[in-house]
Every structure is written in structure tokens, then in C-alpha cells.
Amino acid sequence: MKRIQYHQYGGPEVMRLEDFEPARPGTGEILVRVRAAAANPMDFGIREGRMKQVTGRRFPRAMGYDFAGVVEAVGDGVTRLRVGDEVLGGTPIKAAGAFADVVVARERDVVHKPAALSFEDAAAVPTVGITALQALISKGRLRAGHAVFVHSCLGGVGRSAVQIALARQATVAGSCRDSAADEARALGVEPVVGFDFDPAPLARRFDIVLVAAGPLPLKSARALLKPGGRIVSVLPTPANLARSVLPGPFNVVIARPVTEDIETVARAAGEGTLRQPIARTVPLSQAVPALTELEQGGAGARGKLIITPG
């Protein structure tokens, strides 16, 4: 069996495709034959050691969180999933390991893959979909008729948030690169503004301002809010975490793998109301250079990098 792993925190040069011996699934765990895995920006930050207070200093450490595949074995106490089930989900941050032939995951972090959804499309949605869902519903308290502004509306989380909000009968405005404005409008975003927009024409129009990626000045975010509105950021920087505990509209979401939320995301993907574009698909044998290219210059092509067996 092979997987991508590293023996010290660092840049893309530390990634290796190496043989490994998969662990037997423990209590509440399943072993999944990976059919597709998806890269997320957090993969690179975690490999660099930005969350080493969680991930620790034991090496080698595996890479990859989002996956879709087929259950090969189950541990004690597993009741919802069976050998042969087609599934999608993720691994805990400390474990990782989706960029591999097989991965061990907790049953609670994995759900049945809708039959209409390909493994590649299924792998593309868990982290970004759950983050967007929890940002809008748990933190933003989204309701039908709300007006939502999504900063960076064509990124992974932003695109998911647009689709989730529209499916729940909200209206969505957002920001993106000027050259991508038509793509945002085709997704259902209106109006569309550039990243360095003047908030004055949109002042006091939105119930939720979601900062899905990149910086948005707090002053601008506040200017967009209706009275009683909420600002939600998916960026858990020290400054944002400090703001979130103070009185006021600012909130930070750190996505948690709640089974019910994963099922909601999977159902929406199966129905076609939540999809992520796929920019590139590569076999596992070519994944290290593809991940390196994505990390070093990957802002050019919008869409997921998908890793498949081989």
C-alpha cells in the first residue's frame, strides 16, 4: 500500500509517496479503499506545521482529508456502514491519510455516497461544503429571504456557500476577481464586485457577510451589514478568534465533522445543488508533483485537484 506522507514539517519538498502498512480499523472506525481524494488549502498549512499543537511531532505523518471510496473493513461498534458501501467523508486533522490507496476513518465522519454522484465529485465536497454549511447555518443563522454577501465567492468554501444559500431561498451577492465576474453571475451571484470594492453602494444590505477566503477589512464588512446582521469568517487567525469572543456581530467558524451535516452536504451534492468544479485529476503516482504545482502557483485554475488510484 502507498500513501503520501512526510517525516518533518516543511514545504512541498518534504512530501513523499511511500509504502505503508495500514492500521486495522479500531472501535468505531472503518477501512476505506480510496477511489478519489481531494486537495484543500489546509493540507499545505498543516504539513507546514501551522497546527502542530494538534497534529503533534510524531512522524511520518500522512496527508489528505477529503475522500470517497468503498468500505473494505469495519471495526467493533460500527453499525451504520458495511463492507462494500460506497462512501464519502473525511479524516480527523490529527490522522489525515486520504492521499493513499486505503485510509482509516471514523464512522461518524463518513456517510453513504449518493449513487448519482461520481467518486471524484463526491471527494470534492466534504470540507468546503461542511465549512460553508456551518458558517451559514450555525453561525450566520441563515433563513429564507436573507441577503448574503460572500467575499471570495468562487473559492471552494465561497462557491459552496453561494449554492447552499440559494438552495435555501436566500439572495447572494459577492466578490471575486474582476475577470471572473461572469462566472459568478452564472452561479447566481448578483451583484458581483471586485475584491477591492467600495462598500458604500452596498451599505446595510446584508443579513450575513461571509468571509470565505482572503482579507476583507472589518470596517467594510460592518458597513455591509443590516442592523442585527452577522459577520462570519472561516479564517481562525488569532485576531479573528479574539474578535469573535467580544460583543458584536463577528463570528469565526472552525468546521467540525458532524454526521448530520456531512449527510446534508452529500444529499445536496447528489441532488446537484452543491457541486465543485474539478480542475485536474491525477493518479496517486503523480500526486506529489501535482500538489507541489497547486501549492506554488495554484491560484490560476479554479477547481479541485482530485487524486485517484494508480
Side-chain angles (χ1 to χ4, degrees):
M1 297 292 177
K2 291 187 178 294
R3 71 178 181 184
I4 295 175
Q5 57 189 22
Y6 51 99
H7 296 261
Q8 63 185 63
Y9 292 118
E13 72 281 354
V14 304
M15 292 186 291
R16 301 284 186 272
L17 179 61
E18 297 178 329
D19 293 326
F20 83 109
E21 185 66 33
R24 291 179 174 273
T27 301
E29 293 181 334
I30 60 173
L31 178 71
V32 177
R33 172 70 60 170
V34 178
R35 295 287 299 275
N40 290 291
M42 72 178 189
D43 296 321
F44 308 131
I46 291 171
R47 187 211 60 223
E48 289 176 342
R50 295 181 193 172
M51 295 192 68
K52 60 181 137 185
Q53 70 276 17
V54 175
T55 53
R57 296 183 178 275
R58 293 184 64 183
F59 297 99
R61 285 196 43 75
M63 286 190 67
Y65 296 92
D66 288 354
F67 65 86
V70 180
V71 177
E72 282 207 345
V74 301
D76 293 340
V78 171
T79 58
R80 189 169 43 83
L81 301 174
R82 298 180 179 180
V83 172
D85 284 352
E86 296 184 348
V87 296
L88 67 86
T91 71
I93 285 178
K94 191 169 184 177
F99 300 161
D101 290 319
V102 296
V103 64
V104 174
R106 299 180 300 197
E107 182 190 30
R108 70 190 193 201
D109 298 342
V110 178
V111 301
H112 289 100
K113 179 184 75 67
L117 198 62
S118 71
F119 285 105
E120 292 81 3
D121 286 331
V125 298
T127 291
V128 293
I130 294 165
T131 302
L133 181 73
Q134 293 178 356
L136 290 174
I137 306 302
S138 302
K139 297 293 185 177
R141 302 175 187 172
L142 176 70
R143 298 195 302 270
H146 270 175
V148 180
F149 184 90
V150 180
H151 181 61
S152 193
C153 65
L154 293 181
V157 174
R159 187 183 293 266
S160 297
V162 170
Q163 294 174 86
I164 290 168
L166 291 173
R168 294 177 183 243
Q169 288 76 55
T171 61
V172 183
S175 64
C176 65
R177 292 184 301 169
D178 292 334
S179 60
D182 288 343
E183 183 181 352
R185 292 189 185 96
L187 190 63
V189 180
E190 187 61 45
V192 179
V193 297
F195 285 132
D196 57 351
F197 68 97
D198 177 5
L202 300 176
R204 300 169 68 87
R205 285 181 51 175
F206 300 100
D207 300 282
I208 303 170
V209 173
L210 173 60
V211 183
L216 176 65
L218 183 58
K219 183 177 180 180
S220 296
R222 287 182 179 274
L224 298 173
L225 280 188
K226 292 179 180 179
R230 302 173 74 82
I231 301 167
V232 184
S233 174
V234 304
L235 307 173
T237 63
N240 282 346
L241 291 170
R243 290 188 189 106
S244 69
V245 300
L246 298 174
F250 195 89
N251 299 266
V252 172
V253 63
I254 300 174
R256 298 180 299 113
V258 178
T259 307
E260 181 180 342
D261 290 345
I262 305 170
E263 289 176 338
T264 297
V265 166
R267 184 167 55 251
E271 293 169 349
T273 60
L274 178 62
R275 290 291 177 93
Q276 287 289 326
I278 294 173
R280 186 180 180 189
T281 301
V282 299
L284 182 62
S285 60
Q286 300 174 24
V288 168
L291 287 163
T292 301
E293 183 180 344
L294 175 66
E295 182 176 4
Q296 293 180 337
R302 279 184 300 279
K304 286 287 190 177
L305 170 62
I306 301 296
I307 299 168
T308 56

